Amino acid sequence: MANGTIAFDTLTTSDSVNTGTEKSIDTSYLLNGVAKVWVNFDGNDAGAPARNSFNLSSTTDNDTGDYTMNFTNAMNDTDYAPQFLQGDQSGAVDLGFKCTHAHATTTNRLISRNTNGTSNTARDMNTQSYTCHGDLA
């Protein structure tokens, strides 16, 4: 059996379990609407592998709260949209982060920050989640 490519413009499924009706969606919506890179990792444990990830070859721990995301497959250009969420064991969520350098097609470097109150220092947190939306090369 030869390996090949299946091309279609619309994905149609039977939802017989829930409604018994057919549903369809434009495949370009599926392709463009999903994260192209994502990872969940422990920022407190520099040597630990990611808890789970997609299209990420590795994370590099550069310094306290300073990480580089290394993509398995390159992004098409540098106009992608990264998102980063961090939290600690108490359940507190801190949305402070910044991209420290211009986006590259194969990596994205960011710094996790404690932005609660008056502190704005780099910080490792036990729950780090990163996603990236855009087009793959």
Side-chain angles (χ1 to χ4, degrees), residues 11-25:
L11 177 64
T12 303
T13 63
S14 170
D15 187 24
S16 61
V17 172
N18 295 321
T19 65
T21 61
E22 189 175 271
K23 299 186 187 232
S24 63
I25 189 167

Side-chain angles (χ1 to χ4, degrees), residues 105-127:
T105 58
T106 57
T107 65
N108 187 211
R109 188 170 175 182
L110 34 103
I111 291 183
S112 172
R113 296 243 179 232
N114 178 7
T115 57
N116 293 330
T118 59
S119 175
N120 191 19
T121 57
R123 175 179 177 190
D124 286 334
M125 296 183 87
N126 72 321
T127 301

Side-chain angles (χ1 to χ4, degrees), residues 15-137:
D15 187 24
S16 61
V17 172
N18 295 321
T19 65
T21 61
E22 189 175 271
K23 299 186 187 232
S24 63
I25 189 167
D26 187 318
T27 56
S28 66
Y29 178 79
L30 291 174
L31 177 67
N32 294 324
V34 298
K36 301 306 187 294
V37 180
W38 60 263
V39 63
N40 179 303
F41 66 100
D42 185 346
N44 289 319
D45 191 355
R51 291 182 183 109
N52 205 343
S53 68
F54 174 75
N55 194 29
L56 191 86
S57 59
S58 65
T59 58
T60 304
D61 188 346
N62 304 305
D63 201 353
T64 301
D66 183 351
Y67 310 100
T68 299
M69 305 294 121
N70 302 296
F71 308 152
T72 303
N73 298 294
M75 300 300 287
N76 186 52
D77 54 38
T78 59
D79 294 329
Y80 55 86
Q83 297 86 38
F84 186 51
L85 177 68
Q86 56 195 24
D88 63 21
Q89 293 175 345
S90 70
V93 173
D94 186 354
L95 298 176
F97 85 96
K98 71 174 189 171
C99 292
T100 59
H101 302 282
H103 300 274
T105 58
T106 57
T107 65
N108 187 211
R109 188 170 175 182
L110 34 103
I111 291 183
S112 172
R113 296 243 179 232
N114 178 7
T115 57
N116 293 330
T118 59
S119 175
N120 191 19
T121 57
R123 175 179 177 190
D124 286 334
M125 296 183 87
N126 72 321
T127 301
Q128 307 279 3
S129 297
Y130 171 86
T131 60
C132 181
H133 293 265
D135 294 325
L136 292 175

